Amino acid sequence: MNKHRFFAFGCSFTRWNDNPTWADFIGINYDKYYNFGIPGASNIFIMQKLIEADEVYNLNAETDCIIVALTGFGRFAYLEIPDKGGYVWQTNGDILFPNDEHPTKAKLIRNEIYNWPWAAYDSWIATTVIKKLLTLKGIEHKIIMALDNSHYINEAYTLGLDLEFENIGHIVPKIKDIYNILDIKEPIDIYRQNNNETLYSDDDQSKHPNGRIYYDYCLKHMPELLSDKSLDLLNTPTEIWKSKINKLI
């Protein structure tokens, strides 16, 4: 992937304030680096950001390299219009797992509107659109997975995924299709658990990987995208690494 611009899409596993992520270790090697990772983002939201980036930056095969890190299927983003005007997207993470810290509106959506089949369907739609857009444009890309979603396959009956959708039939084969198109089969959070689950960022409550986990993940699965700049970033003190990245983004 010898291009000038690098675009990263995903959730907080793609962009995080406490330490560099996989995207930073790769993006630092490009002339221009754009990180569209949003904490709490859903896969539909990630797809939307890719479409927006295409509208603004005219994504193309000549200059661009793109990596999309899919996130948890149970996430849901919704649009709010504040009293002061403007639009604000609310990204509250996986709302299908009860969390007292979720805002009232997210709890309402979980309890009254959203469900496991819909979540699986949304992620299949998002992944399909992402893959088709990048393929049709001939853009060098990788689709990876930040958070493991294998329970949508392993616990399909329990989650109510055994019924058929009109036109597309059962959703479980579609979920398997998502795993089949991944360029890297090992999700980042599974890699973290298998290697050293105690290696979190400085924020112990976040449960996000620290820089070493992200770097080692890239070294294992995408070594061709790393360089001495990547290693230097890993060894850069926390108070300095952000300025390095911010100069590029």
Side-chain angles (χ1 to χ4, degrees):
M1 293 185 177
N2 185 23
K3 302 297 180 180
H4 302 296
R5 303 193 302 182
F6 176 65
F7 293 82
F9 298 88
C11 61
S12 58
F13 271 48
T14 296
R15 188 169 186 176
W16 189 242
N17 287 328
D18 289 348
N19 52 256
T21 70
W22 63 268
D24 299 318
F25 290 120
I26 294 172
I28 198 169
N29 299 304
Y30 286 78
D31 295 333
K32 295 183 179 180
Y33 167 37
Y34 304 89
N35 191 325
F36 288 88
I38 304 291
S42 66
N43 286 318
I44 287 289
F45 189 79
I46 291 170
M47 175 196 74
Q48 292 168 338
K49 287 301 170 185
L50 176 64
I51 300 297
E52 289 179 10
D54 186 34
E55 178 74 13
V56 175
Y57 296 100
N58 185 28
L59 303 178
N60 64 87
E62 288 69 34
T63 64
D64 301 338
C65 167
I66 293 175
I67 299 182
V68 179
L70 301 175
T71 190
F73 290 0
R75 296 180 169 207
F76 188 92
Y78 59 91
L79 187 65
E80 282 194 333
I81 305 176
D83 294 337
K84 296 181 180 179
Y87 299 111
V88 177
W89 285 100
Q90 298 296 328
T91 54
N92 299 297
D94 196 320
I95 68 170
L96 290 182
F97 288 103
N99 185 337
D100 291 339
E101 295 183 1
H102 282 155
T104 300
K105 192 171 293 186
K107 293 177 182 177
L108 175 65
I109 294 171
R110 179 189 71 219
N111 295 332
E112 303 292 340
I113 301 174
Y114 209 41
N115 52 54
W116 297 95
W118 185 1
Y121 177 85
D122 272 357
S123 286
W124 170 66
I125 288 291
T127 306
T128 300
V129 171
I130 289 168
K131 183 64 178 179
K132 287 187 176 181
L133 173 66
L134 296 177
T135 301
L136 286 172
K137 282 181 162 283
I139 298 173
E140 294 185 26
H141 67 275
K142 290 182 184 294
I143 298 179
I144 66 177
M145 190 169 283
L147 302 178
D148 183 53
N149 293 281
S150 58
H151 53 289
Y152 280 82
I153 299 172
N154 301 332
E155 303 172 30
Y157 180 80
T158 303
L159 299 178
L161 303 177
D162 55 320
L163 302 178
E164 293 189 16
F165 280 82
E166 185 177 359
N167 299 322
I168 67 169
H170 288 288
I171 193 66
V172 175
K174 304 297 185 184
I175 302 171
K176 293 180 179 178
D177 286 344
I178 294 176
Y179 275 85
N180 289 334
I181 72 167
L182 293 177
D183 293 284
I184 298 172
K185 305 302 182 184
E186 184 177 32
I188 297 173
D189 65 337
I190 296 299
Y191 174 83
R192 177 191 63 191
Q193 294 172 30
N194 290 340
N195 287 271
N196 191 333
E197 61 182 11
T198 65
L199 289 182
Y200 298 131
S201 66
D202 292 338
D203 179 2
D204 291 336
Q205 301 301 315
S206 73
K207 303 305 181 187
H208 287 78
N210 67 10
R212 168 57 69 177
I213 285 291
Y214 286 121
Y215 179 85
D216 289 348
Y217 180 85
C218 293
L219 190 61
K220 176 182 178 181
H221 293 293
M222 301 177 280
E224 72 280 5
L225 300 181
L226 300 181
S227 72
D228 290 341
K229 289 183 179 179
S230 307
L231 185 58
D232 288 342
L233 181 62
L234 176 64
N235 296 320
T236 299
T238 302
E239 62 272 14
I240 299 177
W241 75 264
K242 289 183 184 179
S243 63
K244 280 189 174 184
I245 294 299
N246 289 337
K247 289 179 181 178
L248 298 174
I249 295 179

